[in-house]
Amino acid sequence: MSRIKTIFERLSDHIPLPETELNYTNSYTLLVAVVLSAQSTDKGVNKATKELFKTVNTPSEMIDLGLERLKSLVKTIGLFNTKASNIIKLSQLLLNEHQGEIPQNRSQLMTLPGVGQKTANVVLNVAFGQPTIPVDTHVARLANRLGLSKETHPNKIETDLESKIPKEFLKSAHHLMILHGRYTCKARSPLCKNCFISDLCNFTLKDAVKFRA
């Protein structure tokens, strides 16, 4: 059995429900939450969207809410002015060009304001079950520490992971890596003594490469 397959088998055994920790009600609110989550924590986004998603679940409802009200609801999130503006713009674009539906194609998703490759990949994976690998700082860190990629650009890391991770784990891979990175393989103080894949990892802090977001 390959080392990489063993890593993901153990991750799957220890994390039986690998899923996003962002709260959402449908594919549209997932998109909004992911746009808001850039350079922010899921916990902070969930706190901000708790009230928002009580009344807004569609692009038309977001347009009716308006930019200023949206800003007031998400003002605790970093870069909230830019993110709120992008959310209003993408909501209008969804109404104008996609009948209010979320595209299930990465290139189309990436035409929406505030939606880059990582955001598009999250939506495709979580909302539509596609085997994409969104690369955030947690995924990049584990890819480096586990020897799955020495690249620093997220798109190149994504390519490496897609070529190395066994097909049966592709859909859940980024969730497994995020959750392991968030709670065990932490950036500054990894809990190596409590790690169930430590025997498959040769990481030392001096080996780390810097991720370019």
Side-chain angles (χ1 to χ4, degrees):
M1 184 182 298
S2 74
R3 183 182 72 94
I4 295 174
K5 184 176 182 179
T6 301
I7 286 171
F8 282 92
E9 285 187 341
R10 290 191 196 174
L11 287 170
S12 297
D13 288 342
H14 284 80
I15 309 173
L17 293 174
E19 56 189 14
T20 182
E21 293 186 313
L22 286 171
N23 294 332
Y24 65 98
T25 61
N26 56 27
S27 58
Y28 172 71
T29 55
L30 172 66
L31 174 60
V32 170
V34 180
V35 169
L36 290 171
S37 72
Q39 300 180 49
S40 301
T41 66
D42 288 0
K43 184 177 180 180
V45 172
N46 289 339
K47 183 177 180 180
T49 58
K50 183 177 181 180
E51 290 301 317
L52 176 65
F53 292 161
K54 285 181 180 179
T55 56
V56 174
N57 289 277
T58 66
S60 59
E61 289 172 347
M62 187 68 77
I63 296 300
D64 289 342
L65 181 73
L67 178 59
E68 294 309 313
R69 178 59 177 152
L70 176 58
K71 285 183 180 180
S72 72
L73 290 171
V74 301
K75 64 184 180 182
T76 57
I77 297 175
L79 305 174
F80 75 93
N81 281 308
T82 299
K83 292 176 181 178
S85 178
N86 282 334
I87 287 168
I88 294 295
K89 291 175 182 176
L90 72 83
S91 298
Q92 191 63 62
L93 198 60
L94 287 172
L95 291 170
N96 293 345
E97 299 188 11
H98 301 283
Q99 295 75 52
E101 299 296 322
I102 306 300
Q104 298 186 37
N105 174 282
R106 187 164 73 180
S107 61
Q108 287 183 320
L109 276 169
M110 289 177 65
T111 66
L112 300 174
V115 178
Q117 186 158 313
K118 184 190 78 171
T119 296
N121 280 341
V122 172
V123 173
L124 293 174
N125 182 283
V126 176
F128 303 116
Q130 296 186 25
T132 58
I133 303 181
V135 177
D136 69 353
T137 55
H138 296 299
V139 173
R141 183 168 67 253
L142 262 71
N144 169 226
R145 290 179 175 180
L146 292 170
L148 301 177
S149 179
K150 289 298 183 183
E151 298 290 347
T152 59
H153 192 282
N155 292 358
K156 292 182 178 180
I157 296 171
E158 179 182 339
T159 299
D160 282 346
L161 295 177
E162 287 176 338
S163 68
K164 294 178 181 178
I165 294 173
K167 185 177 180 179
E168 62 264 37
F169 298 109
L170 283 176
K171 182 177 179 296
S172 62
H174 90 280
H175 290 303
L176 294 169
M177 295 174 78
I178 286 172
L179 294 169
H180 190 62
R182 185 171 289 163
Y183 299 109
T184 302
C185 193
K186 301 179 181 182
R188 295 185 179 180
S189 302
L191 306 177
C192 297
K193 291 183 179 180
N194 300 328
C195 179
F196 47 83
I197 54 174
S198 60
D199 59 312
L200 301 171
C201 176
N202 296 319
F203 170 74
T204 60
L205 286 173
K206 66 180 177 60
D207 295 327
V209 298
K210 188 173 182 180
F211 173 60
R212 291 194 292 124

